Amino acid sequence: MTLRRSWVESANTPDTDFPLNNLPYGSVVKDVAQHLGEGAFPHCAVAIGDRILDVTTMEADGKISVCDGIVLDMGDWTNFMSLGPEVWRAFRETLTDIFREGSPHRALAEPYLMPRQGATLTMPFIVAEFTDFYASRHHATNVGTMFRGPENALPPNWLHIPIGYNGRASSVVISGTDIIRPHGQIKGPDDAAPRFAPSARFDFELELGAIVGTPSDSPLTVDQAFENIFGYVLLNDWSARDIQAWEYQPLGPFQAKATATTISPWIVTADALGPFRTRTPERELDLLPHLQDTGPMLYDIDLEVMLQDTVITRTNYREMYYSSAQQLAHHSSSGCPMRVGDLLGSGTISGPNKGSQGALLELARAGKELITLRNGDQRSFLEDGDTVTLRGAANGDGYRIGFGTCSGRILPARPLKGDTP
């Protein structure tokens, strides 16, 4: 597919994340002081080039319709997602028709456009639950080799099922939110007993988050699961590696992963990514029937991580061993109800080569090596004041389907109650 041209000229440039081919969904905070007194509340918005379309106000004014009644008045896309794939596609077609070059609807939409630069973005949907997976073979092999040796790098079940754990929906935050270094119980190899202290080995994890748009109360096939995914966001599952090393046996991650999970503010729809579908890697062992591949369900998405102004890793989502559809199908296989707004983290996305790993734990080999930044500073784990930014885009012929940025800055650990500041 080639670039779809728009009357919004900034959407026609090859370096924009948001051409007409994309049309991602977000929530922008609108000042309503002139109507309701001091304060602001979010409006549903669509990004196009360097502009934002306020579709909440447009719907309220009767200029655009999702279906019968008002859907977008709550300021996020949760209600819209619950309407299902037919409505999703019809609304996307409406937006595409509004913004296409030569559209007769230009005058209808122009009053509802605003600059994207400087806009305050907030959570684009209500996160119902958060599940994080461990689905990159390169990442699992790298980490397993560090701690168990190459012969025991992959757990016995890893090639059979997508391993995951249930995280905290309450700690999912929007890009730009500061991240406070966590305290936790830590035990080093020479410590006689654990101690309670700020994490000294704080890390990022480069992931893609899949958002469930259609609920289910019974097991899903992989094909059904694929259709139930509304869209995707960049996701950084911040991780305290020293807390994790002490707590993870026998039940897996807990407090080490509960500090925060940052997501990008724009939901890139599954339909927008459709032209970039690709297959999972060749399998060493056949999967059981409920997980078997039925078609290309990964995406060719280039990804990178910046620490301050230095790109420290580049990889691609196609490296994942399990797709989000397989993760969702397996999650539902026990009869686990899946709800609108469930967020599934892909797990750290790592490639096969040095410089393509999705976490400092791998890039710096558990602290044994140093990553050098552009200004000469070096890191093995994150320091206070560091800013981590994830970027990603599927690259087409003269256009890109981008996610914007997913960033967070590390603040020092807070003094605990009773501590001397």
Side-chain angles (χ1 to χ4, degrees):
M1 182 180 290
T2 58
L3 173 71
R4 294 173 174 171
R5 296 194 61 84
S6 170
W7 53 262
V8 179
E9 286 300 325
S10 59
N12 299 327
T13 59
D15 58 345
T16 182
D17 275 351
F18 307 128
L20 182 56
N21 305 62
N22 193 348
L23 300 177
Y25 299 144
S27 292
V28 60
V29 177
K30 291 277 288 182
D31 186 356
V32 292
Q34 68 271 31
H35 301 298
L36 303 175
E38 292 300 322
F41 68 98
H43 285 204
C44 292
V46 177
I48 175 82
D50 63 359
R51 314 293 286 176
I52 291 174
L53 182 72
D54 177 0
V55 288
T56 290
T57 303
M58 203 173 178
E59 182 190 54
D61 291 347
K63 305 298 184 182
I64 197 170
S65 177
V66 175
C67 61
D68 293 336
I70 299 296
V71 175
L72 306 175
D73 58 322
M74 299 305 293
D76 64 60
W77 294 87
T78 310
N79 287 342
F80 175 83
M81 291 192 296
S82 70
L83 299 176
E86 289 187 10
V87 172
W88 306 344
R89 293 187 179 111
F91 188 65
R92 179 174 162 77
E93 288 172 4
T94 296
L95 292 170
T96 300
D97 187 48
I98 287 173
F99 282 118
R100 64 179 172 82
E101 192 173 55
S103 172
H105 307 297
R106 175 173 179 168
L108 180 78
E110 279 187 316
Y112 300 94
L113 284 172
M114 68 184 80
R116 184 164 51 83
Q117 184 175 5
T120 300
L121 302 173
T122 188
M123 290 294 292
F125 68 104
I126 298 171
V127 181
E129 303 284 354
F130 171 52
T131 303
D132 198 32
F133 287 87
Y134 186 53
S136 163
R137 184 164 186 174
H138 301 300
H139 175 68
T141 300
N142 291 339
V143 173
T145 298
M146 288 179 200
F147 295 106
R148 294 184 296 274
E151 66 283 353
N152 296 309
L154 293 180
N157 59 357
W158 199 93
L159 294 172
H160 297 275
I161 57 172
I163 298 172
Y165 70 92
N166 290 316
R168 294 284 300 174
S170 63
S171 63
V172 179
V173 298
I174 198 70
S175 175
T177 304
D178 289 336
I179 307 300
I180 298 170
R181 183 178 297 274
H183 282 78
Q185 227 185 78
I186 299 167
K187 185 181 185 300
D190 301 323
D191 295 337
R195 54 197 166 82
F196 192 74
S199 170
R201 296 164 71 92
F202 201 48
D203 200 357
F204 67 85
E205 288 191 348
L206 168 62
E207 303 191 25
L208 203 68
I211 302 163
V212 175
T214 304
S216 59
D217 291 309
S218 57
L220 299 168
T221 66
V222 171
D223 288 323
Q224 289 170 333
F226 186 79
E227 287 297 316
N228 282 16
I229 295 172
F230 175 68
Y232 297 83
V233 291
L234 299 176
L235 186 150
N236 183 350
D237 192 37
W238 304 92
S239 300
R241 301 301 187 185
D242 39 9
I243 298 171
Q244 183 179 358
W246 172 235
E247 74 174 5
Y248 83 99
Q249 293 180 344
L251 295 181
F254 184 32
Q255 293 298 85
K257 302 279 192 170
T259 301
T261 298
T262 303
I263 64 169
S264 53
W266 296 104
I267 303 171
V268 176
T269 64
D271 279 350
L273 290 170
F276 303 95
R277 287 173 63 175
T278 188
R279 293 186 177 275
T280 49
E282 191 172 331
R283 303 201 177 279
E284 183 176 320
L285 300 174
D286 289 338
L287 298 175
L288 293 178
H290 78 290
L291 286 175
Q292 286 179 358
D293 299 275
T294 60
M297 292 186 183
L298 285 181
Y299 298 100
D300 183 357
I301 302 172
D302 291 321
L303 300 161
E304 67 179 27
V305 179
M306 296 181 68
L307 183 51
Q308 273 73 279
D309 60 352
T310 305
V311 175
I312 60 172
T313 191
R314 288 188 173 95
T315 187
N316 192 291
Y317 180 61
R318 64 173 175 257
E319 298 290 349
M320 301 306 288
Y321 195 80
Y322 295 101
S323 68
S324 295
Q326 288 168 316
Q327 292 169 346
L328 177 54
H330 186 67
H331 205 333
S332 72
S333 63
S334 63
C336 173
M338 306 304 298
R339 296 290 178 250
V340 175
D342 279 351
L343 177 64
L344 307 182
S346 63
T348 303
I349 304 167
S350 292
N353 303 316
K354 186 175 177 62
S356 66
Q357 296 92 355
L360 279 172
L361 179 66
E362 298 170 82
L363 289 164
R365 297 188 65 246
K368 295 177 181 177
E369 297 180 1
L370 293 171
I371 304 300
T372 301
L373 306 183
R374 184 177 297 177
N375 64 1
D377 288 351
Q378 293 183 312
R379 296 287 187 275
S380 56
F381 288 99
L382 298 173
E383 297 185 4
D384 295 343
D386 284 348
T387 296
V388 178
T389 302
L390 315 185
R391 298 179 187 272
N395 290 290
D397 182 9
Y399 73 100
R400 53 192 271 126
I401 302 297
F403 289 78
T405 59
C406 176
S407 66
R409 179 183 58 163
I410 310 300
L411 299 185
R414 289 174 175 166
L416 297 180
K417 187 176 181 180
D419 286 354
T420 300

